[in-house]
Amino acid sequence: MSSGCLTIKIFHLDYYLSPPIDLLDINYSSFSGRFSSRMPVIRVYGTASTGQKICCNVHGVLPYFYVDLPTNELDGGDFVRSFVFSLEKSIRTKLNNYNMKDMYIFDASVVSGLSIYGYHDTERPFIKLYLVDPGIVNVCSEILQSGAVLNRVFQTYETHIPYLLQFCVDYNLYGMNLLYAGYFKFRTSDYVNFPSLLKNSENMWSPSKFNS
């Protein structure tokens, strides 16, 4: 890897929800036309190639799952919006949270793929839903399979996969292996063991630049 790449051996992962940080989080949802007041951040604990301990905060990774798109709604962008609106309303009711600043569904799009249930020789359409809070994936699954959304029962896919495992699978990561970060910022001023990475001032944290 190049000298401008940060290499981390992965020991442990967790995540938290945090107010968005400029240039690190894209918190505007073009789907809903709103800004999210919080975004998920994954923490990767490990060591650098120099042996120094690291806590790396990974931004921009959203949890997601899939839902069957009814065959009679294949060309309906309006259906997807109605579906998302109904689902988010049901989530707020179930969680008893009506604060509109707390966005739950960040984005939705129609994708195609093969169902893992039964035999299929052709792809079929699905709705791919991106969430803000990984903790409500199971809540969404329960709601969708209860018939509370548009008075229909929807089959969900990949709701059983934990957020952190989903992150590892998508980026081919696993414990005690390496994560390579080509774009990164140091949060503290302790750069003693990373002299080669400091040649680029863009690697240094600037509170005024990031508004945090």
Side-chain angles (χ1 to χ4, degrees):
M1 304 300 293
S2 67
S3 60
C5 181
L6 181 63
T7 304
I8 304 170
K9 177 176 283 189
I10 303 171
F11 290 166
H12 180 70
L13 301 171
D14 66 13
Y15 76 89
Y16 63 98
L17 293 175
S18 171
I21 298 176
D22 291 346
L23 302 183
L24 293 182
D25 292 301
I26 301 176
N27 67 315
Y28 177 75
S29 168
S30 58
F31 181 84
S32 65
R34 296 187 292 133
F35 288 91
S36 177
S37 61
R38 54 189 185 151
M39 297 299 287
V41 180
I42 296 174
R43 281 187 296 218
V44 180
Y45 300 90
T47 58
S49 56
T50 58
Q52 182 171 348
K53 295 179 180 178
I54 286 182
C55 174
C56 174
N57 291 262
V58 181
H59 295 254
V61 179
L62 298 177
Y64 63 86
F65 65 94
Y66 301 89
V67 179
D68 270 331
L69 178 64
T71 54
N72 60 332
E73 303 289 353
L74 297 183
D75 58 350
D78 291 339
F79 173 81
V80 175
R81 291 192 174 277
S82 298
F83 169 83
V84 170
F85 177 80
S86 179
L87 175 57
E88 182 141 330
K89 182 179 179 181
S90 297
I91 294 171
R92 295 185 185 282
T93 300
K94 189 173 183 64
L95 299 181
N96 195 28
N97 182 358
Y98 299 95
N99 184 356
M100 295 305 293
K101 291 184 178 180
D102 292 336
M103 183 186 299
Y104 289 108
I105 302 174
F106 190 83
D107 195 15
S109 60
V110 177
V111 299
S112 60
L114 292 173
S115 172
I116 63 173
Y117 300 114
Y119 171 77
H120 305 276
D121 57 359
T122 58
E123 293 187 343
R124 53 190 289 188
F126 298 88
I127 303 173
K128 186 175 185 179
L129 294 168
Y130 288 94
L131 306 181
V132 172
D133 184 356
I136 67 163
V137 172
N138 289 335
V139 172
C140 291
S141 180
E142 292 174 5
I143 291 173
L144 289 167
Q145 295 183 62
S146 71
V149 176
L150 302 179
N151 295 317
R152 300 188 188 186
V153 174
F154 291 90
Q155 176 65 56
T156 62
Y157 301 85
E158 298 195 15
T159 51
H160 65 291
I161 302 178
Y163 173 53
L164 297 176
L165 177 58
Q166 192 176 65
F167 165 67
C168 289
V169 170
D170 288 347
Y171 291 91
N172 194 28
L173 302 172
Y174 45 95
M176 301 306 293
N177 205 269
L178 300 178
L179 180 153
Y180 299 100
Y183 178 79
F184 55 91
K185 302 287 180 181
F186 287 104
R187 176 173 284 179
T188 70
S189 59
D190 182 11
Y191 310 113
V192 176
N193 290 335
F194 300 99
S196 63
L197 300 179
L198 296 179
K199 296 177 182 179
N200 184 355
S201 61
E202 288 297 313
N203 293 337
M204 300 177 66
W205 179 266
S206 174
S208 60
K209 183 176 181 180
F210 285 87
N211 297 325
S212 176

